[in-house]
Amino acid sequence: MSSVRRPLLTATAAGTLLGALWFVPSANATQEQPARTEPSVQATTQARVTTTSAEASTDDTRLADTGSFDTTPYVVGGTLFLTLGAGFVVYSVRRERLGF
């Protein structure tokens, strides 16, 4: 590949990446439904915080039950991109040492 085309290829790749990131959804703090004023009937044992009787009168803190989500796609994708990046580094070092 000509050394003149490398900056153009790099700029194209960076522009493509930024264009793709433009469509990543953002986390907005707006509600689609009005907030509930009464507590939920379903309480989980993970969300409860045990306190002594003296603390119970002043601090009735409960944690939000957010649930869990499947992290498998993130782990697989991260591993794939890490392997791909390492492969590019090895390829680049190999080309440099062999004088291509």
Side-chain angles (χ1 to χ4, degrees), residues 6 9 25 29 31 34 36 42 47 53 55 61 63-64 73 77 79 86 90 92 98 100:
R6 286 185 187 169
L9 182 63
Q31 296 182 9
R36 293 187 300 187
Q42 178 184 7
S53 61
E55 292 174 344
T61 307
L63 301 175
T79 304
V90 169
S92 175
L98 293 178
F100 286 124

Side-chain angles (χ1 to χ4, degrees), residues 72-96:
T72 304
Y74 301 105
V75 172
V76 171
T79 304
L80 176 73
F81 282 113
L82 183 65
T83 305
L84 184 66
F88 279 134
V89 169
V90 169
Y91 176 71
S92 175
V93 169
R94 181 177 167 264
R95 282 184 54 123
E96 183 179 337

Side-chain angles (χ1 to χ4, degrees), residues 1-95:
M1 178 181 287
S2 173
S3 62
V4 175
R5 292 186 185 173
R6 286 185 187 169
L8 181 61
L9 182 63
T10 303
T12 303
T16 304
L17 178 64
L18 289 174
L21 289 176
W22 179 271
F23 294 102
V24 173
S26 62
N28 295 325
T30 58
Q31 296 182 9
E32 293 180 8
Q33 300 175 357
R36 293 187 300 187
T37 56
E38 51 189 56
S40 175
V41 177
Q42 178 184 7
T44 62
T45 56
Q46 290 179 344
R48 295 185 187 160
V49 176
T50 58
T51 58
T52 62
S53 61
E55 292 174 344
S57 62
T58 60
D59 186 22
D60 188 22
T61 307
R62 291 179 42 168
L63 301 175
D65 183 20
T66 58
S68 63
F69 57 93
D70 186 19
T71 59
T72 304
Y74 301 105
V75 172
V76 171
T79 304
L80 176 73
F81 282 113
L82 183 65
T83 305
L84 184 66
F88 279 134
V89 169
V90 169
Y91 176 71
S92 175
V93 169
R94 181 177 167 264
R95 282 184 54 123

